[in-house]
Every structure is written in structure tokens, then in C-alpha cells.
Amino acid sequence: MAEIIQRDGTWIFDGDTLRLTPGRDKNVSLLRRTLGELTVPLGALAGVSLEQGRKSGQLRLRLRDGADPLLQATGGKLAEPNDPYQLTVEADRLGVAEYLVDEVRDALLLDQVPSGPVDGYLVPGPAVPLSASAGDGTASFDGERVRLEWNWKTEEAKSAAGSRTLALGDITAVEWRPAAGLENGCLRFTVRGADTKAPPKYDPNSVELWGFKRDPLMALVAAAVQARLPHPAAAVEDRPAEEPEGAAAPGPGPEADHDTLLRRLRELGELHKEGVLTDEEFALAKQAVLKRL
């Protein structure tokens, strides 16, 4: 077992699991304190590193793509203080941190854990029920429904319709984006049959965020919902199976299979060019087809 205890938090590795517990220091972010202890299985890890500075070091975990709903929902936009997979290490504990890094690396090699993407969440999302208030509203999630309630700062065009209740089954995607520069952030839900390009200020399925201290708590709501939606990799695997209307059925034999896969690649390229597939979805779907070739 390897353990390191710091003001920033405590990391304990038992050979199979890493337990990450936030510290009680006043500098520990509100998001990390609210999220609480994280249990990360070895199979979710892609790597671990220790970056050493003059006065302190930084432990960093790298998770496999698609393993954590929090990282999926925030798209890598969490600022460093809110990143639960980093730990500040004081200079006199760098040796202990190096030992933990060696133990995790040895376990990854011994278990031959791949570093590639996964097709299912390996880290649980935040516990529910969960509620957060920031920007122009409050978002609550009980595991089955999202409720959006507005405050006095909400644009009248959005608040006029009153509070919103979104069934989990109607939500196709969720996104959290922080405020950056002059652009406000948002917690946005994409609802089946109600796609919109309206700014969050006017979108009744979005909470607009203005860059204040409590904004990151909305990322926890996003992660809790994301954990209960179909995994993006599974959605990508399903999509290539849908042949466009009128497409020729694959013929028998390896040559016909080869032609079908090549046609599939061209179709994926067109879907990507038209914006139907994101860069990540296109890359995953293309990789799946190339493996069959």
C-alpha cells in the first residue's frame, strides 16, 4: 500500500484502487470539497506522473478517455484548482510521492492495463440528489429528473415560462462550460426534439454562468446526469450501423465486406464534414471500421 497525506488531500493506493480524498485546507476548492472522496479503479488509469518544482511538486493522474463522467461532461475545461486528479505535494514529501507513482506504474504494467479509451464509465458520478445555484438559476437532479429554477437575474424571455423539469430519458447530452474572458459559461442540456442554438441567456434548457465562485458546482450536476446517459462510445458504435436509406446491401465474401467497409468510411467522412459527427466521434468510429479492415 502507498499513501501520501497533504494539506491539499490524501491519496491511498492499495494495488487495485486509488482513493482520492480532498483536504480540509481553506485553499481546497469548493468543487473538490463538495465532490468528496473519489474511488478510482486501476483499470480507469492511463498514467500517473510527479512534476517537481523548487518548493513543491504536483501529482497528476491521467484517466483513460471516457472513464469519468465528470471529465466527459466538462470536456477538459476544469481549472487546475478544481481538478480532483491533481495533488500538491510539499517538498519534504516528494520521496513518498515518487514511491506512490512507482507503485501505480508497476501495477499498471503488471495488470497490463491498456491506456486507450473505454466504452463505459469506470468512475461513478457524483451522488444524487444534487443541487447547485449559480448564474441565473438553480439546477437540481434526483437521478431521474433535472429541475431548472430561475432567479431575479434571469432574462425575462426565459423566466416567463417558469421552472423547467426535464426527464432523464428526454436528455440526449449535457455540457458544462466555464466563463472565459467576455464570454459567459453555461450548464446546457440538449433535449430530444428541442434542439436550439440560442445563447444560454435565452435557452430555457440552460443555466447561464458568469464566472463566479459557485460556477464549478454546476459541473457536478452535469457529471451526475452524464453518468446516467448512454456512454458516448456506445452511441458512436451504434451510429455506423445505421445505413442510409437506399444504400446497397453488402454482398457475400471478403471482397464485398471490404467494399462495404470502405463505403462506411466515406459515409463517416461525409457525416463528419457535415457536422453530424464530432471530431472525437469520427475518430472512434473510423478506428472501429479500420480494425474490421
Side-chain angles (χ1 to χ4, degrees):
M1 178 179 287
E3 177 183 67
I4 182 166
I5 303 174
Q6 295 290 274
R7 288 180 297 178
D8 196 29
T10 298
W11 286 16
I12 301 174
F13 179 59
D14 63 7
D16 296 312
T17 303
L18 256 172
R19 289 208 323 272
L20 316 179
T21 306
R24 297 183 178 180
D25 188 78
K26 64 179 181 180
N27 293 323
V28 176
S29 74
L30 181 60
L31 179 145
R32 290 181 56 209
R33 294 201 305 268
T34 305
L35 180 60
E37 183 177 281
L38 271 176
T39 301
V40 184
L42 184 66
L45 298 180
V48 60
S49 64
L50 173 63
E51 301 172 3
Q52 297 192 28
R54 291 184 178 181
K55 297 183 179 180
S56 63
Q58 196 79 8
L59 272 172
R60 297 180 188 271
L61 288 182
R62 184 166 58 88
L63 270 64
R64 298 170 65 186
D65 288 345
D68 179 22
L70 176 62
L71 298 184
Q72 185 71 41
T74 57
K77 297 182 179 70
L78 279 177
E80 282 199 5
N82 295 315
D83 187 346
Y85 301 112
Q86 298 187 32
L87 181 71
T88 300
V89 180
E90 296 167 12
D92 62 346
R93 305 298 289 171
L94 290 174
V96 177
E98 288 177 346
Y99 174 71
L100 185 142
V101 167
D102 289 341
E103 288 291 293
V104 174
R105 286 177 177 169
D106 289 347
L108 288 171
L109 287 172
L110 185 63
D111 285 21
Q112 297 183 333
V113 177
S115 59
V118 298
D119 58 5
Y121 295 119
L122 302 178
V123 179
V128 295
L130 182 64
S131 182
S133 298
D136 67 353
T138 297
S140 305
F141 180 54
D142 63 4
E144 297 180 357
R145 290 170 295 276
V146 171
R147 184 168 176 81
L148 303 177
E149 300 173 276
W150 313 117
N151 57 37
W152 64 274
K153 295 170 284 188
T154 308
E155 179 68 25
E156 185 177 355
K158 184 163 75 171
S159 63
S163 301
R164 299 276 292 170
T165 298
L166 310 176
L168 182 62
D170 293 332
I171 299 173
T172 59
V174 58
E175 173 200 14
W176 174 86
R177 188 178 73 244
L182 298 177
E183 184 179 358
N184 291 334
C186 70
L187 169 67
R188 186 192 293 272
F189 298 94
T190 301
V191 178
R192 185 176 289 105
D195 291 348
T196 177
K197 294 184 179 180
K201 181 177 183 178
Y202 302 104
D203 181 5
N205 297 323
S206 297
V207 176
E208 186 180 36
L209 304 176
W210 300 318
F212 297 125
K213 181 179 179 181
R214 300 185 69 82
D215 284 10
L217 294 184
M218 288 291 187
L220 298 183
V221 177
V225 174
Q226 184 73 57
R228 291 161 176 81
L229 293 178
H231 193 276
V236 172
E237 288 176 3
D238 290 343
R239 188 173 293 168
E242 298 175 3
E243 293 291 344
E245 186 176 353
E255 290 185 4
D257 288 343
H258 186 270
D259 291 341
T260 300
L261 293 174
L262 288 177
R263 187 174 68 250
R264 189 70 232 165
L265 281 175
R266 288 194 294 270
E267 291 168 357
L268 289 171
E270 292 172 1
L271 289 172
H272 179 239
K273 189 180 297 183
E274 294 169 2
V276 177
L277 291 177
T278 66
D279 291 344
E280 182 181 1
E281 290 173 336
F282 173 66
L284 288 171
K286 179 181 176 182
Q287 184 182 28
V289 175
L290 289 176
K291 283 183 178 179
R292 292 173 63 186
L293 278 171

